[in-house]
Amino acid sequence: GQPLGPRRLSLRPVPKLPNMEAFLREALVKLKRQARGCLAPELCFQAVRAATERPFAEGVRRERELFGVLLTSGQAQALQYAFFAERAVPRWATPSGASWSSAAPQPVRKAAVIGLGTMGRGIVTSLVKANIPVVALEQDLEYLNKGRKAVMLLLEREAMKMEGGAQTLDFHNPARLQFTVDFDLLRDVDLVIEAVFENMALKKEIFHKLSKICKPEALLCTNTSALNIDEIASATNRPQQVIGTHFFSPAHVMRLLEIIYGRHTSPTAIATAMQLAKALKKVGVVVGNCFGFVGNRMMFPYVQQAVFLLEEGSRPEAVDQVLEDFGFKIGPFRMSDLAGLDVGWRSRKEQGLTGPSLAAGTPARQRHGQRYSPLPDLLCEQGRFGQKTGKGWYQYEKAGGRTATPDPWLHNFLSQYRDTHGIKSRFIDQEEILERCLFSLINEGFAILAEGIASGPEHLD
């Protein structure tokens, strides 16, 4: 008995819902926490809010206005640039004339990973997820069993996230994933990724062994974050097959794969590493060989500037806050705590910047005529390595904890440090924090481009 005329939903009044205000307030707080500096999610929220408050036609008009704001925003241009930059990096080229258009990859039917520390475990997990059979090698049974447990745990977690569960990964099948201490099992692999400690002598010993055991066409990759690829290659009888594949931690999550060619690396080797990145669903970026390559080399001055700010009167939480509000997922100090302060410390000791190999009489805050801050070294000497020890630039609820809280001990330590070195503490505003950290990053980027280490700004970005 109802008339069958048109029923336009858009003409009906907007229903009033209980607690709408409170719900929207909570949603906005949550959104701001997740969006960190991104404009679009907040404007989407405003569009939804307009829909609850106004008639349909007005709501649509408001949505169109908001869309117009986003369309012409700097953020939209930057996101479009990032989208296309990511798709430009597969078209790699080197100064010697090798390029993506002329080099063909070798097939990788079976791979090996040496070293089952944090990085090795993530790399094994990535390979298994990409359906590439893996041999995982450790130095002794104790490390092997520890590594095996950790890898199995990671794979169980990954399998749970996947449709079809664990049987899709089939990682209990030894033809898919094999753990061993025997180098002889690497005779038939197409590619080896070495992921042991950042120690040159150890890496050279392993590469010397690999060049005797692996088949001649096998690719020998190193997951070094800063060591010289050419020197590692010099320990082999096939430097053209040696290449850097620098994964970022955690390796099964992070999408970036830095691919570093040495003086002798063949175009085929570069093409194969790029093909591997694609198989692992990662973004491979081809760069040249220098200390720290591109990722870490740009990171050094950025983190260093952040530490200088602490010397002059800032605090870790203030610096992180500014950079995270700007849009970084994680500030430099929370990032250092997450990665582990001991990693950089070990590298600085090897470079002779700190520790027993530092020349007597070196000024505390200078190295090679440049400003230097010993703060990270001093924290490491106190056993503060970050999340893994429960204390670093922040304190955590326990060793291995994830929740960073500002640490009064550190604030006190900083003021004592300033007294010792006669540094007068001053207030540092947000703009100075942002500019000093970002400009350091950008300037290093230009230096890398000028030296031809990266072939274009898209690769850096």
Side-chain angles (χ1 to χ4, degrees):
Q2 296 286 325
L4 293 178
R7 299 186 173 204
R8 287 201 124 168
L9 270 179
S10 63
L11 297 176
R12 309 214 355 217
V14 176
K16 282 276 164 270
L17 295 169
N19 309 338
M20 202 57 192
E21 264 310 300
F23 172 76
L24 287 170
R25 256 201 319 274
E26 268 174 49
L28 184 61
V29 169
K30 202 160 152 189
L31 184 97
K32 280 192 155 154
R33 209 174 33 235
Q34 284 173 340
R36 275 276 149 83
C38 290
L39 209 50
E42 286 202 39
L43 267 59
C44 289
F45 170 85
Q46 288 178 29
V48 172
R49 189 169 62 193
T52 67
E53 292 169 352
R54 307 178 183 192
F56 183 79
E58 272 185 47
V60 170
R61 206 164 44 239
R62 177 71 181 133
E63 190 165 317
R64 183 146 202 97
E65 279 167 22
L66 291 166
F67 182 74
V69 170
L70 286 177
L71 196 58
T72 55
S73 70
Q75 287 197 7
Q77 289 170 6
L79 286 162
Q80 289 156 28
Y81 165 79
F83 177 89
F84 289 112
E86 207 168 280
R87 283 150 186 80
V89 290
R91 299 193 285 278
W92 57 272
T94 70
S96 62
S99 83
W100 66 282
S101 54
S102 54
Q106 290 170 193
V108 176
R109 297 190 186 90
K110 187 175 182 184
V113 175
I114 301 178
L116 291 176
T118 315
M119 292 309 287
R121 295 164 189 179
I123 296 169
V124 170
T125 305
S126 296
L127 288 162
V128 172
K129 279 176 71 179
N131 282 324
I132 299 170
V134 191
V135 180
L137 185 110
E138 250 303 355
Q139 54 178 342
D140 61 33
L141 286 169
E142 185 192 346
Y143 279 107
L144 187 73
N145 286 326
K146 202 170 140 188
R148 180 201 317 246
K149 277 199 190 109
V151 168
M152 288 304 186
L153 198 66
L154 279 178
L155 283 166
E156 298 282 357
R157 271 192 219 150
E158 290 301 305
M160 274 160 64
K161 291 181 207 164
M162 289 169 76
E163 293 296 314
Q167 63 276 16
T168 49
L169 286 181
D170 191 22
F171 54 87
H172 291 289
N173 172 357
R176 285 233 157 271
L177 174 59
Q178 197 177 2
F179 293 89
T180 184
V181 290
D182 182 7
F183 266 89
D184 275 347
L185 289 181
L186 307 188
R187 285 190 187 285
D188 61 339
V189 299
D190 301 302
L191 175 143
V192 181
I193 300 171
E194 162 277 311
V196 303
F197 261 145
E198 285 287 80
N199 174 303
M200 185 55 92
L202 176 64
K203 293 199 189 254
K204 284 168 88 166
E205 181 192 332
I206 288 171
F207 274 75
H208 181 66
K209 214 170 188 173
L210 290 174
S211 73
K212 283 194 191 143
I213 289 170
C214 297
K215 57 188 185 186
E217 67 276 18
L219 208 60
L220 310 181
C221 311
T222 173
N223 173 54
T224 179
S225 53
L227 296 177
N228 189 333
I229 303 292
D230 290 329
E231 192 178 336
I232 295 172
S234 71
T236 73
N237 55 13
R238 51 174 108 172
Q240 72 285 359
Q241 301 287 93
V242 176
I243 193 164
T245 49
H246 178 209
F247 290 78
F248 291 79
S249 173
H252 62 295
V253 179
M254 297 296 274
R255 285 178 64 231
L256 178 60
L257 178 57
E258 198 171 28
I259 293 167
I260 306 101
Y261 57 87
R263 190 179 306 141
H264 303 292
T265 307
S266 72
T268 304
I270 301 176
T272 307
M274 279 300 272
Q275 185 62 42
L276 176 71
K278 197 174 169 183
L280 299 180
K281 295 193 170 66
K282 295 191 184 297
V283 179
V285 183
V286 175
V287 301
N289 181 26
C290 62
F291 186 75
F293 316 130
V294 169
N296 280 339
R297 177 170 161 180
M298 285 177 76
M299 203 59 94
F300 294 137
Y302 164 75
V303 174
Q304 186 182 45
Q305 216 37 254
V307 176
F308 289 165
L309 288 161
L310 296 195
E311 286 192 337
E312 293 164 37
S314 200
R315 291 179 163 188
E317 54 275 21
V319 175
D320 282 353
Q321 181 74 48
V322 170
L323 286 154
E324 287 170 15
D325 286 346
F326 175 70
F328 279 95
K329 282 281 186 287
I330 183 169
F333 294 107
R334 293 202 322 158
M335 179 193 68
S336 297
D337 274 0
L338 176 66
L341 275 76
D342 52 326
V343 183
W345 190 39
R346 190 179 306 119
S347 163
R348 289 189 299 276
K349 283 194 283 195
E350 293 213 349
Q351 292 171 63
L353 292 171
T354 186
S357 52
L358 182 65
T362 309
R365 297 173 57 229
Q366 257 199 353
R367 298 291 184 274
H368 310 301
Q370 301 282 328
R371 180 174 175 186
Y372 177 87
S373 174
L375 273 171
D377 304 331
L378 296 170
L379 288 193
C380 288
E381 285 165 22
Q382 298 268 354
R384 297 176 69 103
F385 293 161
Q387 288 185 4
K388 59 177 83 168
T389 55
K391 287 181 172 65
W393 294 108
Y394 293 92
Q395 57 181 347
Y396 298 85
E397 66 277 19
K398 58 175 194 291
R402 295 280 177 85
T403 316
T405 46
D407 190 346
W409 180 91
L410 187 96
H411 299 154
N412 183 38
F413 179 74
L414 286 174
S415 41
Q416 285 177 348
Y417 173 87
R418 293 181 197 119
D419 291 346
T420 307
H421 295 285
I423 305 167
K424 192 175 174 336
S425 181
R426 63 186 178 87
F427 171 73
I428 300 175
D429 64 15
Q430 297 184 335
E431 191 175 13
E432 183 179 343
I433 291 174
L434 192 59
E435 290 191 344
R436 281 176 62 180
C437 292
L438 284 189
F439 292 170
S440 303
L441 202 56
I442 294 165
N443 284 339
E444 196 62 36
F446 279 116
I448 291 167
L449 278 180
E451 289 167 32
I453 297 291
S455 57
E458 293 81 4
H459 293 64
L460 296 184
D461 291 330

